[in-house]
Each structure stands twice: as C-alpha cells, then as structure tokens.
C-alpha cells in the first residue's frame, strides 16, 4: 500500500479492526483494501495472490510521483499460514518513506524475520486443524474468539503436542508438512521485500549489503530460488552463499546437509556453480562483507562472481537427497 503516512493497518496493544481480523484469520484482504481505498482515494494498493511458497518471489510495480501527497510511504501486510491469526506487517505507517529529501526513490531491502510476526488477538491459538487456515478449515471465522489485542506472536505449539508443527496439509493437493515452520528459531526469515527503481534513475545508487532468504530447500517445484538484480552501471563482484551445515551453530537443527549453489542469468543460462566451498579461494571475502564464518571443511556452498547489470537467480541444489533448511545470501563486494 502506497499512502500519505496516515493509513495505519493496526496498532500494537490495541484491538484489531474487523479488516485486520479478516486478513489475519482467513487471508481475506478485501475489506482491508476497501478501507484503504476509502481513506486514501489517491493512494496505490495491490494484492499478491497467495499462498506464497517458500523460496518463491513476486514482483509488483507501482508508478509513484513525489509531488503526490499520497505517494509518500509504503505499508505491507500478509497472513501467516498455517495459523489461527498470525500475520506480518509494519506497525508504524510512516516507517518506510518512498522518497528522500531530493525526491529520489529510496531503494531498500526489508527483511521480515520471525521476531516480526504478529498475533492479531482475535482468535485463540488452539492450532486445531478445523480452526486453522490452510489445514482443515473449510469456512472463515470458525475459531474461538479471543477478544485480545495485537501483540507479538508467541510462536506455535511445541512439536509433539499435535499443533501446526506436527500437522500435514492437503490444501495444495499434495501433502505439505510444517516441521520447519517454527519462526521463533534464531535467524528465521519469513519474507523479504526489495524496493528498486525499474523505470527512471535514482540520484544516489544503493549498495546491496546483504540480501538473504531462508527456507526449506527441496527438489523440483520445491527448489529454493532467490532472485536478485545487479543495477545499471559497472560490473559488480558478488558473493553468493548457500548455507546448510553452517546454520547448526545458529541453533537450526533441520538444516540442509549438503547444499550446492548455481547462478543463472535472465535467459536461464548457468553462469557459475559451487558444491562445497574452499576457504583458501574465497574465505577473505566473508570477512570483507561481514558474513558469519563457516567451518573450513563444511559442506556449505559459496561462489564469487563478477556480474554485469541484469537479473539473476540463485538455485540451491539438494545433493543430500533429504529436504532441509538453507540460507541463501547475496553480498556485493564492490560498487
């Protein structure tokens, strides 16, 4: 949602609106869009169709004008599935200005971590499949009313208690389990929003510090894929890592045992690949960008490439056969 800085989807510590309740409990953002349209008639909004599977990315283009008051700030909101009333979104409506003082678009990356997940306080977190969206819920608003307030989400029930982390969903037509859905784990990334100029130019180019995506890496349709753009100008040296075993020191037990990384250009041509990084080749690059260390003999993957301006994707290979959590990181070494 693009607005004038006054449209507030929710307030921490206050009761959720009916519009937020619909979005957080059932993924129905229609009422929220209607409220936005009434409050911001000259604002811009869009709905990205879901559910959004781990590792997938979508693009939404807005035409913004710094001279229009309702084109000054960005807000976002999404339901967490499966959940009773979990969601992520920005509490402060003026947290993300679109333009700087010189009317240039502010290119930025917003990382939504597990610590950013909210509980709408509208439905009891019983995690009963019949009450939980994307499990066995067949109609909206079937859970137990909570009458609480918006607060940070406490996390799902522990494994073994019959909750979401033990559940299997047939909603997409094939069995889907959620053993890796504990967003309270250290460094758990829920989503990432990248803002860039696609038509026009910014006076001050932004420098990519750390683009990252953490999700379950599988095979086929479940391959973990992360897209990134090298902006116009000079070629850039980029470090790309697929971390699996290196996550164990961060408290992640269900990591991908032996990831590989392959980078493709916009024509789907492979331009670089690595399986098991070599410390003597690129170890110094880790320190130069502030990346956390990896064991010299680990099965993590990392590659250093010099890329021309354009669109690229990094694909995580699953050479171990068993799915697991992987963290994909992209760092720019030179601008």
């Amino acid at each position: 949602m693009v607005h004038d800085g006054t449209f507030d989807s929710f307030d921490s510590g206050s009761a959720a609106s009916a519009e937020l309740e619909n979005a957080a409990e059932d993924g129905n953002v229609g009422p929220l869009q209607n409220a936005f349209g009434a409050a911001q008639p000259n604002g811009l909004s869009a709905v990205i169709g879901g559910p959004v599977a781990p590792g997938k990315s979508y693009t939404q283009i807005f035409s913004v004008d710094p001279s229009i008051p309702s084109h000054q700030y960005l807000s976002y909101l999404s339901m967490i599935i499966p959940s009773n009333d979990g969601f992520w979104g920005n509490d402060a409506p003026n947290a993300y200005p679109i333009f700087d003082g010189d009317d240039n678009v502010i290119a930025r990356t917003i990382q939504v971590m597990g610590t950013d997940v909210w509980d709408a306080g509208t439905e009891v977190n019983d995690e009963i499949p019949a009450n939980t969206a994307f499990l066995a819920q067949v109609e909206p608003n079937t859970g137990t009313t909570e009458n609480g307030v918006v607060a940070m989400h406490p996390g799902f029930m522990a494994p073994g208690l019959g909750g979401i982390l033990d559940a299997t969903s047939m909603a997409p037509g094939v069995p889907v389990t959620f053993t890796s859905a504990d967003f309270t784990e250290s460094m758990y990334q829920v989503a990432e929003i990248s803002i860039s100029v696609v038509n026009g130019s910014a006076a001050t180019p932004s420098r990519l510090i750390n683009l990252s995506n953490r999700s379950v890496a599988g095979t086929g349709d479940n391959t973990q894929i992360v897209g990134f753009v090298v902006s116009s100008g000079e070629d850039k040296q980029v470090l790309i890592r697929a971390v699996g075993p290196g996550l164990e020191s961060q408290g992640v037990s269900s990591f991908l045992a032996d990831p590989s990384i392959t980078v493709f250009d916009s024509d789907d041509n492979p331009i670089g690949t690595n399986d098991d990084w070599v410390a003597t080749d690129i170890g110094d690059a880790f320190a130069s960008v502030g990346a956390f260390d990896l064991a010299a003999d680990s099965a993590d993957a990392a590659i250093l490439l010099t890329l021309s301006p354009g669109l690229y994707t990094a694909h995580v290979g699953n050479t171990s056969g068993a799915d697991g959590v992987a963290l994909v990181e992209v760092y720019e070494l030179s601008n």
Side-chain angles (χ1 to χ4, degrees):
M1 296 174 284
V2 175
H3 55 91
D4 63 4
T6 64
F7 185 78
D8 201 358
S9 303
F10 66 96
D11 289 302
S12 176
S14 298
S17 65
E19 293 82 7
L20 177 61
E21 180 178 1
N22 276 274
E25 290 187 12
D26 304 305
N28 178 12
V29 295
L32 183 61
Q33 268 214 306
N34 292 338
F36 178 82
Q40 300 282 321
N42 296 314
L44 305 170
S45 68
V47 177
I48 296 176
V52 179
K56 301 301 181 181
S57 62
Y58 294 84
T59 299
Q60 176 64 46
I61 298 176
F62 290 114
S63 296
V64 293
D65 185 336
S67 67
I68 298 177
S70 55
H71 287 191
Q72 304 303 310
Y73 294 91
L74 175 73
S75 290
Y76 55 86
L77 190 140
S78 174
M79 180 185 184
I80 288 282
I81 56 171
S83 74
N84 291 97
D85 60 350
F87 72 98
W88 52 270
N90 57 302
D91 182 13
N94 57 359
Y96 300 109
I98 295 173
F99 301 101
D100 63 18
D102 295 319
D103 290 341
N104 299 306
V105 170
I106 302 172
R108 70 171 86 228
T109 297
I110 304 169
Q111 292 186 342
V112 181
M113 307 303 289
T115 51
D116 300 318
V117 175
W118 296 91
D119 186 321
T122 57
E123 184 176 303
V124 174
N125 295 327
D126 55 23
E127 302 185 26
I128 296 172
N131 297 341
T132 305
F134 208 68
L135 292 186
Q137 180 177 309
V138 296
E139 60 184 25
N141 200 29
T142 54
T144 302
T145 300
E146 183 178 0
N147 292 319
V149 298
V150 178
M152 301 312 301
H153 201 292
F156 297 138
M157 295 165 57
L161 297 180
I164 287 170
L165 299 182
D166 299 319
T168 299
S169 173
M170 293 297 295
V174 295
V176 176
T177 59
F178 304 97
T179 54
S180 299
D182 182 7
F183 56 80
T184 63
E185 287 187 349
S186 174
M187 294 180 62
Y188 196 105
Q189 182 171 333
V190 176
E192 183 172 88
I193 302 171
S194 295
I195 303 168
S196 60
V197 179
V198 295
N199 183 17
S201 59
T204 305
S206 63
R207 182 164 186 258
L208 178 65
I209 301 301
N210 176 17
L211 184 156
S212 62
N213 173 276
R214 176 184 142 165
S215 64
V216 177
T219 58
D221 291 341
N222 294 321
T223 298
Q224 185 180 5
I225 302 174
V226 176
F228 61 97
V229 176
V230 175
S231 58
S232 60
E234 299 178 352
D235 293 355
K236 292 180 172 61
Q237 193 174 35
V238 179
L239 170 68
I240 304 111
R241 310 199 307 178
V243 182
L247 294 176
E248 186 174 18
S249 63
Q250 311 295 327
V252 179
S253 58
S254 54
F255 57 83
L256 187 65
D258 188 8
S260 64
I261 191 78
T262 303
V263 179
F264 293 81
D265 63 17
S266 58
D267 294 321
D268 284 334
N269 298 313
I271 58 175
T273 188
N274 175 260
D275 181 13
D276 299 342
W277 76 291
V278 180
T280 55
D281 291 346
I282 59 174
D284 291 344
F286 292 8
S288 69
V289 297
F292 64 87
D293 290 335
L294 299 175
D297 59 349
S298 76
D300 301 291
I303 188 170
L304 193 61
L305 298 172
T306 299
L307 302 177
S308 302
L311 175 65
Y312 299 88
T313 54
H315 297 229
V316 177
N318 184 350
T319 57
S320 63
D323 293 1
V325 177
L327 175 69
V328 179
E329 298 179 301
V330 182
Y331 295 91
E332 179 188 327
L333 274 78
S334 58
N335 194 21

